[in-house]
Amino acid sequence: MPTLLHIDSSVWPGDASASRAVTATFRKEWEAQHPDGTVIYRDLVAEPLPHLDGAAAHAGFVPADDRTPEQHDAFALRETLAGELERADAVLIGAPMYNFTIPSTLKAWLDHVIIMGRTAGAEQTTTSGTPAVVVASRGGGYGPGTPRESFEFVTTYLDKALNGALGLEVEFVVPELTLARTNPAMANLIELADASKAKAHEDAAAKAKVLASRFAA
């Protein structure tokens, strides 16, 4: 049965988070298709990862058989996280926009799993071709033609990191204007926000069905 790696990084819990709500929709549909499958779940807020340090970074450039015991210890977390990614048949990531880019907790995960010569930096990596769906929520509007289009560093960065570095087949689901119902200055955008939210949940469910069908028994 297939394995889904599900990562959430919003600081807000449950339905208070647009990205968590949409990743939950995807996961519910995925599990409906594969009730006996495996889900590896990492909540990067409930259990934040340490930032990559020099010892762990250096160990990644030393062949496994040549590492000292200290280097093996330093690399242990990277080995665990990279192994989870390598075992996954599909990847689901909740990536809300904070200050125009991804949460630092998600960046920490990427720093650990991007390992040159293994998951990255080769023509064919250990993660090449794995499908990934990223729920990139944002409080405002940053789409093409909007005044803040040039401030959008979530999908632009993650496309380079997930596709360009790790070789994942990345698709984005983008619920936007998520602050419209709580920010009086955005009251005129509530209808658009509600439409974006509904479409994000529909897209997430549809993408889950399509990906799940690729791993039908």
Side-chain angles (χ1 to χ4, degrees), residues 13 43 67-68 76 85 110 156-157 181 200 202:
D43 185 332
R67 289 178 193 144
T68 66
L85 178 59
L110 286 164
T156 49
Y157 169 70
R181 286 192 170 274
E202 291 171 4

Side-chain angles (χ1 to χ4, degrees), residues 6 28-29 45 53 74 95 117 130 142 149 171 173 204 213:
H6 175 187
K28 180 179 179 181
E29 187 59 48
V45 175
D53 62 20
T130 301
Y142 297 82
E149 177 183 357
E171 294 184 276
V173 175
S213 70

Side-chain angles (χ1 to χ4, degrees), residues 85-140:
L85 178 59
E86 290 167 332
R87 291 198 303 275
D89 295 293
V91 179
L92 171 65
I93 299 174
M97 177 187 283
Y98 293 157
N99 300 315
F100 311 123
T101 190
I102 64 173
S104 61
T105 51
L106 182 54
K107 179 60 164 61
W109 178 80
L110 286 164
D111 288 340
H112 283 290
V113 301
I114 295 176
I115 302 171
M116 299 303 291
R118 178 173 166 179
T119 62
E123 184 175 336
Q124 182 70 25
T125 73
T126 55
T127 54
S128 291
T130 301
V133 172
V134 177
V135 178
S137 59
R138 55 259 196 126

Side-chain angles (χ1 to χ4, degrees), residues 150-200:
S150 64
F151 288 73
E152 203 285 318
F153 300 106
V154 174
T155 62
T156 49
Y157 169 70
L158 288 177
D159 180 65
K160 300 299 186 293
L162 297 174
N163 180 285
L166 294 169
L168 306 185
E169 297 177 357
V170 185
E171 294 184 276
F172 291 96
V173 175
V174 184
E176 60 180 4
L177 305 172
T178 63
L179 294 177
R181 286 192 170 274
T182 57
N183 184 348
M186 297 175 65
N188 64 318
L189 299 173
I190 287 177
E191 186 175 343
L192 289 174
D194 288 348
S196 179
K197 176 182 177 180
K199 185 176 187 303

Side-chain angles (χ1 to χ4, degrees), residues 12-39:
W12 306 112
D15 286 343
S17 162
S19 65
R20 287 181 186 270
V22 176
T23 60
T25 292
F26 180 104
R27 178 168 167 176
K28 180 179 179 181
E29 187 59 48
W30 172 277
E31 291 182 318
Q33 303 296 319
H34 293 294
D36 297 323
T38 299
V39 177

Side-chain angles (χ1 to χ4, degrees), residues 48-63:
L49 300 170
H51 289 295
L52 183 67
D53 62 20
H58 177 69
F61 292 98
V62 178

